[in-house]
Amino acid sequence: MGRTLIKGGLLIDGKGGAPIVTGAVLIEGPRIVGIGKAEAFQGCKDATVLDCGDQTLLPGLIDCHNHLSLDPRLDNYLHRMTDPIPALTLRACETVKIDLRSGVTTSRCMGDRGFLDVECRKAIEEGRIEGPHLIVATRGIRAFHGHGFVGYPFGGTDQIRDAVRENILAGADLIKIFITGTLRGPKGIFSFFSKEEIRTAVDEAHRAGLPVATHCIGGTGLEWALETGIDVIEHGYYLTDREIDLFVKSGRWLVMTPSIFFTDARIRSLPPNLVDGHLQQREEVARSMEAVVRAGIPFAVGTDAMHGGLAQEIQYLVDFGATPGQALMAATSQAAKVCRLEGSIGTLEEGKFADIISVEGNPLEEVGALKRVGTVISRGTIKHPPPR
């Protein structure tokens, strides 16, 4: 539990202020105990020094929408979610390492199979595998006729109430339901769940103190989600001006996940019947995402299982009109609020967990610097590069 002084050419604390030139962070055990210019710590003779040279120090990144065993590198990857649970678990053990190495120190897991996310969370906390700190939704709750390749089907208020309770018993940190699909259909966007079913999930989770998030791209289901008190909307690809106005008035969070529409390699690994729709509708989605940024809806960002690709998702936000600072905060301080962990992660401040990364370049000037990760420190432990 000794002290370590991490030094860099620039320090971004994640709070929106100006960077600190020749900044440093002093950590002891898993926590930050000091932050400022490196010269202020010259008296810390007992601290081990980790000098990152001219690299920029910043808070560990937070992926606000992930799935551990979903892997778009695999052909027809959505249907691979029917693979045996042991195979999915082994896949997850690989993807969490990839995420950590990319600078993600916290990952909000939005549904997986067989409660494997709970076991991965436990294994990471116990040091048996390497990966980000996990916030898990366990089983996604979908309708029998609805979308949700990582989910399990439930119908009617009684089944949904039981599903929420079972997820809580298994160790869920939040509840995830799938209200809509991902593409606009020929008849528009409809909700797979009734308002009563949605309200049941919300009431059951909130009574136990857990937040609720929903896969929802727009339409009537979005209005019902806002009306019934769902805490976070995931994706929101097709929000109309009216829906954006409702969203702004509600004060709810949106987690943006652009890659499914804007990363060609990912689209090509979708089931063949979904490829054309994602290519044809991407311009409509881009216009909606640009409108979201202009409207001031509070947003965070996630990869939706593009493991190691959070920096590219952040780049997409800039493409939609966000400033580099806004885009970075969507994966740090704003993301921490979505996770309800703003008191412990998301910024570099005394008392918070020592989740710190270094990158080559200044992401406030060139957001692509986030793709050039050097050091990764999670809860005060140097993960990459490993200590010599």
Side-chain angles (χ1 to χ4, degrees):
M1 299 295 288
R3 299 201 296 174
T4 301
L5 183 66
I6 304 108
K7 299 166 64 176
L10 204 64
L11 186 149
I12 299 171
D13 63 14
K15 296 189 290 185
I20 300 173
V21 179
T22 61
V25 184
L26 181 64
I27 67 175
E28 185 169 359
R31 301 278 180 176
I32 296 171
V33 295
I35 182 169
K37 292 187 71 67
E39 61 192 41
F41 297 98
Q42 290 180 350
C44 297
K45 303 298 184 182
D46 61 333
T48 301
V49 175
L50 174 62
D51 194 341
C52 296
D54 61 356
Q55 294 188 4
T56 299
L57 305 178
L58 64 151
L61 302 179
I62 302 168
D63 186 339
C64 269
H65 189 117
N66 206 349
H67 301 282
L68 304 184
S69 64
L70 193 67
D71 190 348
R73 295 175 302 173
L74 303 175
D75 193 40
N76 204 20
Y77 70 94
L78 292 176
H79 289 161
R80 296 293 297 272
M81 292 306 297
T82 61
D83 289 351
I85 298 299
L88 295 174
T89 305
L90 290 172
R91 194 176 300 159
C93 290
E94 178 189 9
T95 63
V96 292
K97 291 180 181 179
I98 294 171
D99 291 333
L100 181 65
R101 182 64 188 88
S102 72
V104 172
T105 53
T106 300
S107 185
R108 181 171 170 262
C109 307
M110 301 307 295
D112 232 301
R113 307 287 288 185
F115 301 115
L116 67 87
D117 52 353
V118 176
E119 293 304 316
C120 286
R121 181 185 64 188
K122 181 179 179 181
I124 290 170
E125 290 174 351
E126 294 176 350
R128 291 184 285 118
I129 63 173
E130 280 200 347
H133 174 73
L134 300 183
I135 301 160
V136 303
T138 68
R139 301 174 304 180
I141 298 172
R142 68 173 179 86
F144 283 101
H145 63 308
H147 174 80
F149 289 88
V150 301
Y152 288 82
F154 300 93
T157 56
D158 288 343
Q159 283 195 11
I160 289 172
R161 182 177 294 108
D162 288 345
V164 172
R165 290 176 176 177
E166 290 167 359
N167 282 4
I168 294 171
L169 177 64
D173 297 308
L174 74 156
I175 299 300
K176 162 76 175 299
I177 67 172
F178 292 84
I179 290 180
T180 70
T182 297
L183 291 171
R184 178 191 295 283
K187 296 183 180 180
I189 301 168
F190 66 94
S191 175
F192 292 117
F193 284 124
S194 68
K195 185 190 288 190
E196 185 181 15
E197 289 172 315
I198 297 169
R199 191 185 303 278
T200 296
V202 173
D203 289 349
E204 197 64 35
H206 283 181
R207 188 164 60 253
L210 269 63
V212 183
T214 181
H215 175 117
C216 185
I217 63 171
T220 301
L222 175 72
E223 296 185 27
W224 289 349
L226 298 177
E227 289 175 17
T228 57
I230 281 182
D231 302 280
V232 184
I233 307 296
E234 312 290 321
H235 313 304
Y237 295 127
Y238 297 87
L239 299 186
T240 64
D241 290 344
R242 178 179 179 277
E243 291 163 359
I244 288 174
D245 185 57
L246 291 173
F247 215 130
V248 171
K249 292 176 180 176
S250 75
R252 305 286 165 66
W253 285 92
L254 175 67
V255 173
M256 300 171 73
T257 55
S259 67
I260 187 65
F261 280 94
F262 300 98
T263 300
D264 286 344
R266 177 169 188 162
I267 293 174
R268 297 300 178 189
S269 62
L270 286 167
N273 64 305
L274 297 177
V275 172
D276 286 347
H278 282 81
L279 291 172
Q280 293 166 4
Q281 297 181 25
R282 62 169 28 165
E283 292 304 319
E284 180 182 359
V285 171
R287 290 193 297 270
S288 179
M289 297 294 95
E290 290 167 358
V292 163
V293 172
R294 288 196 305 269
I297 289 175
F299 62 85
V301 66
T303 62
D304 202 3
M306 283 294 288
H307 299 286
L310 186 57
Q312 180 58 53
E313 306 285 351
I314 296 169
Q315 177 65 64
Y316 287 135
L317 298 186
V318 174
D319 295 341
F320 296 144
T323 67
Q326 287 176 316
L328 179 58
M329 291 172 70
T332 53
S333 58
Q334 296 291 81
K337 294 175 183 177
V338 169
C339 297
R340 299 189 174 188
L341 293 174
E342 63 269 31
S344 58
I345 62 173
T347 58
L348 300 182
E349 297 181 75
E350 291 184 23
K352 290 194 173 183
F353 280 121
D355 290 349
I356 307 164
I357 65 172
S358 70
V359 300
E360 296 179 7
N362 179 358
L364 296 180
E365 296 178 352
E366 183 231 336
V367 76
L370 296 172
K371 297 180 180 181
R372 301 188 294 271
V373 175
T375 298
V376 179
I377 299 171
S378 177
R379 300 299 194 266
T381 299
I382 301 170
K383 298 295 185 179
H384 299 283
R388 296 177 180 176

